[in-house]
Amino acid sequence: MDLQQLARLVSDKTGIPWGPRNAERALAAVFVSDSLWEIAHKSDEPLPAVSALVGLLLEEGMLRASSEGIFLTEDGKAFCESMGVSPFEDHTCPSCGVRGLSLDKFKGALERFYEIQRDRPEAAIRYDQGYVTPETTFARIALADGRGDLRGKDVIIFGDDDLVGLALAMTGLARRVAVVEIDERIVEFEREAAVKLGLNFEVIMRDVRLPLPQELLKRFDTFFTDPPEAAEAMRVFVGRGISALKGVGGAGYFGLTRVESSLVKWRSVERLLLDMGVTITDIIHHFNEYVNWGYLEQMKAWELAPVKQFPSKNWYYSSMFRIEVVESVEVPNADATGRDIYTDSESSTV
Amino acid sequence: MDLQQLARLVSDKTGIPWGPRNAERALAAVFVSDSLWEIAHKSDEPLPAVSALVGLLLEEGMLRASSEGIFLTEDGKAFCESMGVSPFEDHTCPSCGVRGLSLDKFKGALERFYEIQRDRPEAAIRYDQGYVTPETTFARIALADGRGDLRGKDVIIFGDDDLVGLALAMTGLARRVAVVEIDERIVEFEREAAVKLGLNFEVIMRDVRLPLPQELLKRFDTFFTDPPEAAEAMRVFVGRGISALKGVGGAGYFGLTRVESSLVKWRSVERLLLDMGVTITDIIHHFNEYVNWGYLEQMKAWELAPVKQFPSKNWYYSSMFRIEVVESVEVPNADATGRDIYTDSESSTV
């Protein structure tokens, strides 16, 4: 057995394009992780592929599973060594993680936000939800503020289980904040918070898969969204965002994981973005940290997991993309309801 | 006068695509900067465009220049306010800047590197040089190490005034380190350091514009380069890097500025990258900090500058790109000597 063969077995089983480098990354993470979730996080490999790999290594006796988690056996260590695999090395900044950002200027708003968000609706599998930490929500605001995309600007958020709309309204930075959200619970929660805190922001209950109405087209400077990971969902959500922008100079922010998207899918997403007239200005690794959600056992990932182990730490992260429009390209505003835009072979948290 | 008109004047003068959002960014930086160099840095706008803007604002009485620097006048402030321009906001992490990285694990090597690099050759205009700070050199190593691209790997560097090859050899992480360098002074400096410190790395004196020789093709896991900013130079340098990689899973690192590249140029560079079979996995803003170089008065930027003022701080930064090969695409290995690949309408430090 070598990395090439291991990668082929994983690829055959999952339909995900895998090579020796992917297998190596996953093994490097196995050294320093005791759970499937953390291996997926640290390796940046899709969870279905990591599941298949762990299953194979358990069969081969290179991994063993106990009540404490999963560990490399002596055989497994010897195999890694013979393949030249080193343990994953971490050099992330202890003070900001990997974001390069300080939240100091939002300290007060963040503390108020902690209070308000306590009663937020829990993540629902129906809408492929999974919300980020309050720090991540404010890191998005700090990032966009540092890029000049918020002050005096008109901002729209497509899907807001992360409560970016609420947090942004609390800072008072933007001229206009509009949220488009399908989930009645979030709509109600944000509308109530707006009344309670005397905030000025609009929460529009609407399915993002529906074409944008005239009154939201070409009206905004900045958008945020956090689409489901399937390529088709990226196209629809980011497409809506771009359609909502006034044009050249408008900016958009969204996340893309490695957990549910191989770099092959990433490339097709990047191509799609460039074709929509934008430049990718930032891709910040592991920027978005998601809070573990309640529907783990209903997910495809749970079914795939060769060891049924709950994550003890947050493990689902995504890279933050910032895009900026440099050419006005007409993005189709077609109806995407009635199609499954949520799943493909790499998705697993739905 | 409004932002649209201002942008058009700048565009007409420089040939750089500019819109109101670009003008706004530059004005936001004018609020918090007292030098042309810092305005270019903080605004992320190309220096020739910033120069033209500052020239116009001086003529209009919205800026004044004194021995302390350049400042907004009351008229200028009123104009900015009427256009809804806010001062540039900074949220960068005080401990790591924007890199999201800690250099703690390289403390010892970095200290030894400080000593060694004292005698490095000064940046030469002839090769469009301009080297980064020692911290940046090690940040590149920390970044690549955290992505699993160094340990036990074969690494090649195209153009090494930044001394990444030397620094990497000092860490002992890689299996093989090869530097391709045209400048005899750097070749000699690195070869001497290798002997003096007993380091194992190859320094090959060679023009990167020449086709890669057979013995360097498809031999490496990782490359670093920091090309001149013209689109053609990016194509040649990054193309050489990709040609040197073993194939799928190989990774490359290089910088791209905003000082010499508009986001329109960025988009064409990104398209080029995807066409060469890679995915862009990271774009880290202001990652690379360059040490001010000695040939300022010989540059096109100096000629363009409406106020002849020396930078008091480092001001030239670039975003760090990481790319990874996901599809084997044959990248042309053609001869690029005898062509000017160094300049286009946006370049100014040559």
Side-chain angles (χ1 to χ4, degrees):
Chain A
M1 178 88 89
D2 63 15
L3 293 179
Q4 183 80 54
Q5 288 169 295
L6 205 51
R8 196 169 319 118
L9 288 170
V10 167
S11 219
D12 288 349
K13 189 159 179 188
T14 59
I16 296 173
W18 245 43
R21 187 72 181 79
N22 305 88
E24 188 194 345
R25 263 201 291 256
L27 287 170
V30 166
F31 267 104
V32 295
S33 313
D34 59 10
S35 90
L36 186 70
W37 316 102
E38 199 171 62
I39 296 168
H41 167 44
K42 289 198 186 289
S43 69
D44 282 325
E45 292 297 334
L47 193 117
V50 170
S51 289
L53 178 85
V54 167
L56 282 165
L57 296 178
L58 284 167
E59 275 171 36
E60 298 280 328
M62 297 207 240
L63 274 181
R64 62 180 172 81
S66 78
S67 59
E68 278 108 70
I70 47 183
F71 304 93
L72 276 173
T73 60
E74 288 310 312
D75 277 6
K77 278 183 199 158
F79 172 71
C80 287
E81 200 166 307
S82 71
M83 293 292 116
V85 177
S86 310
F88 169 82
E89 266 299 329
D90 193 7
H91 299 286
T92 51
C93 170
S95 102
C96 70
V98 294
R99 297 189 192 109
L101 290 169
S102 155
L103 302 182
D104 280 359
K105 291 181 184 162
F106 295 112
K107 231 172 162 177
L110 181 53
E111 262 158 42
R112 288 191 296 280
F113 183 76
Y114 281 134
E115 287 307 309
I116 295 295
Q117 60 92 42
R118 271 178 214 277
D119 305 317
R120 68 200 297 166
E122 276 315 307
I125 194 166
R126 183 172 169 209
Y127 305 117
D128 193 22
Q129 289 170 345
Y131 57 78
V132 297
T133 63
E135 293 76 15
T136 299
T137 293
F138 272 83
R140 289 179 184 172
I141 292 172
L143 174 65
D145 190 35
R147 297 289 188 275
D149 293 331
L150 296 183
R151 284 172 204 247
K153 297 287 190 287
D154 302 325
V155 182
I156 187 163
I157 294 105
F158 292 97
D160 201 21
D161 51 333
D162 296 326
L163 306 182
V164 173
L166 171 58
L168 181 56
M170 286 171 70
T171 67
L173 290 177
R175 180 166 59 186
R176 179 183 177 191
V177 180
V179 165
V180 175
E181 173 58 57
I182 192 174
D183 185 349
E184 199 176 348
R185 302 171 311 151
I186 293 170
V187 171
E188 240 174 67
F189 177 78
E190 293 205 313
R191 282 183 182 160
E192 273 172 27
V195 171
K196 195 167 138 191
L197 301 169
L199 300 173
N200 180 24
F201 77 113
E202 309 148 54
V203 187
I204 302 154
M205 185 162 159
R206 191 182 173 88
D207 187 338
V208 178
R209 291 175 301 171
L210 285 167
L212 271 196
Q214 199 59 40
E215 66 268 24
L216 296 179
L217 283 170
K218 297 184 194 297
R219 291 288 197 283
F220 296 88
D221 300 291
T222 306
F223 76 84
F224 290 89
T225 189
D226 205 9
E229 290 277 317
E232 202 39 38
M234 293 296 304
R235 179 195 297 274
V236 170
F237 278 69
V238 176
R240 294 283 181 263
I242 293 172
S243 300
L245 294 178
K246 289 169 190 167
V248 171
Y253 295 83
F254 62 93
L256 186 61
T257 75
R258 300 281 286 268
V259 177
E260 304 202 69
S261 297
S262 71
L263 288 182
V264 173
K265 199 207 276 183
W266 271 54
R267 183 166 170 236
S268 66
V269 168
E270 289 174 358
R271 220 182 255 292
L272 175 75
L273 294 169
L274 299 179
D275 288 345
M276 292 199 283
V278 309
T279 295
I280 307 165
T281 66
D282 300 80
I283 305 179
I284 313 173
H285 193 241
H286 288 184
F287 186 98
N288 296 298
E289 176 186 355
Y290 297 77
V291 176
N292 287 326
W293 51 87
Y295 58 78
L296 207 72
E297 289 160 290
Q298 294 156 259
M299 297 181 327
K300 185 182 153 201
W302 188 256
E303 192 186 308
L304 292 173
V307 181
K308 309 297 177 198
Q309 180 192 15
F310 285 96
S312 59
K313 284 182 278 188
N314 291 340
W315 65 279
Y316 191 93
Y317 285 70
S318 69
S319 286
M320 189 63 158
F321 277 65
R322 178 181 180 275
I323 56 176
E324 187 169 323
V325 180
V326 293
E327 188 192 335
S328 281
V329 170
E330 210 54 54
V331 175
N333 188 26
D335 193 331
T337 52
R339 284 192 292 143
D340 173 19
I341 64 167
Y342 291 117
T343 53
D344 60 25
S345 68
E346 297 172 12
S347 48
S348 66
T349 65
V350 287
Chain B
M1 179 89 91
D2 63 16
L3 294 179
Q4 182 80 52
Q5 288 169 295
L6 204 53
R8 196 169 317 119
L9 289 169
V10 167
S11 218
D12 287 349
K13 190 159 179 187
T14 59
I16 295 174
W18 244 43
R21 187 71 183 79
N22 305 89
E24 188 195 345
R25 263 200 291 254
L27 288 170
V30 166
F31 268 103
V32 294
S33 313
D34 60 9
S35 91
L36 187 68
W37 317 101
E38 198 170 65
I39 296 168
H41 167 44
K42 289 197 185 291
S43 69
D44 282 323
E45 292 297 334
L47 194 117
V50 170
S51 288
L53 178 85
V54 167
L56 282 165
L57 296 178
L58 284 166
E59 276 172 33
E60 299 279 328
M62 297 207 241
L63 273 181
R64 64 181 172 78
S66 79
S67 58
E68 279 108 71
I70 48 182
F71 303 94
L72 275 173
T73 60
E74 288 310 311
D75 277 6
K77 279 183 201 159
F79 172 72
C80 286
E81 199 164 309
S82 72
M83 293 292 114
V85 177
S86 311
F88 169 82
E89 267 299 331
D90 194 6
H91 299 286
T92 50
C93 170
S95 102
C96 70
V98 294
R99 297 190 192 107
L101 290 169
S102 155
L103 302 183
D104 279 359
K105 292 182 184 162
F106 296 112
K107 231 171 161 176
L110 180 55
E111 261 159 43
R112 290 190 296 279
F113 182 76
Y114 281 133
E115 287 308 309
I116 296 292
Q117 61 90 43
R118 271 176 213 277
D119 306 319
R120 68 200 296 165
E122 275 315 306
I125 192 167
R126 184 172 166 210
Y127 305 115
D128 193 23
Q129 288 169 344
Y131 57 77
V132 297
T133 62
E135 293 76 17
T136 299
T137 293
F138 273 84
R140 289 179 184 171
I141 292 172
L143 175 65
D145 190 35
R147 296 288 187 278
D149 293 331
L150 297 183
R151 284 173 202 248
K153 297 285 189 289
D154 302 326
V155 182
I156 187 164
I157 294 106
F158 292 98
D160 201 22
D161 52 331
D162 297 326
L163 307 182
V164 173
L166 172 58
L168 181 57
M170 288 171 70
T171 67
L173 291 177
R175 179 165 61 184
R176 179 183 177 191
V177 180
V179 165
V180 175
E181 172 59 56
I182 191 175
D183 184 350
E184 200 177 347
R185 303 171 310 151
I186 294 171
V187 170
E188 242 174 64
F189 177 78
E190 293 205 312
R191 283 183 182 159
E192 275 172 26
V195 171
K196 197 166 136 189
L197 301 170
L199 301 173
N200 180 25
F201 76 114
E202 309 148 54
V203 187
I204 303 153
M205 185 161 158
R206 189 182 175 88
D207 187 339
V208 178
R209 291 174 302 171
L210 286 167
L212 271 197
Q214 198 59 40
E215 66 268 23
L216 295 180
L217 282 170
K218 297 185 196 293
R219 290 289 197 281
F220 296 88
D221 299 291
T222 305
F223 75 85
F224 291 89
T225 189
D226 204 10
E229 289 278 318
E232 202 40 37
M234 292 296 305
R235 180 196 296 273
V236 171
F237 279 68
V238 176
R240 293 287 181 261
I242 293 172
S243 301
L245 294 179
K246 289 170 191 167
V248 171
Y253 294 83
F254 62 91
L256 185 61
T257 76
R258 300 280 287 267
V259 178
E260 303 201 72
S261 296
S262 70
L263 287 182
V264 173
K265 198 206 279 182
W266 271 54
R267 184 167 169 233
S268 64
V269 169
E270 290 174 358
R271 219 182 257 292
L272 176 73
L273 294 170
L274 299 180
D275 288 345
M276 291 198 284
V278 309
T279 295
I280 308 165
T281 67
D282 300 81
I283 305 179
I284 312 173
H285 192 241
H286 289 183
F287 186 99
N288 296 299
E289 177 184 353
Y290 297 77
V291 176
N292 287 326
W293 52 88
Y295 58 79
L296 207 72
E297 289 160 291
Q298 293 156 259
M299 298 182 325
K300 186 181 153 202
W302 188 255
E303 192 186 304
L304 291 172
V307 180
K308 308 297 176 198
Q309 181 191 15
F310 285 95
S312 58
K313 285 181 277 188
N314 291 340
W315 66 279
Y316 191 94
Y317 286 70
S318 69
S319 287
M320 189 64 157
F321 277 63
R322 178 181 182 274
I323 56 177
E324 186 170 323
V325 181
V326 294
E327 187 191 335
S328 280
V329 171
E330 209 53 55
V331 175
N333 189 25
D335 193 332
T337 53
R339 285 192 291 142
D340 173 20
I341 63 166
Y342 291 118
T343 54
D344 60 25
S345 66
E346 297 172 13
S347 49
S348 66
T349 65
V350 287

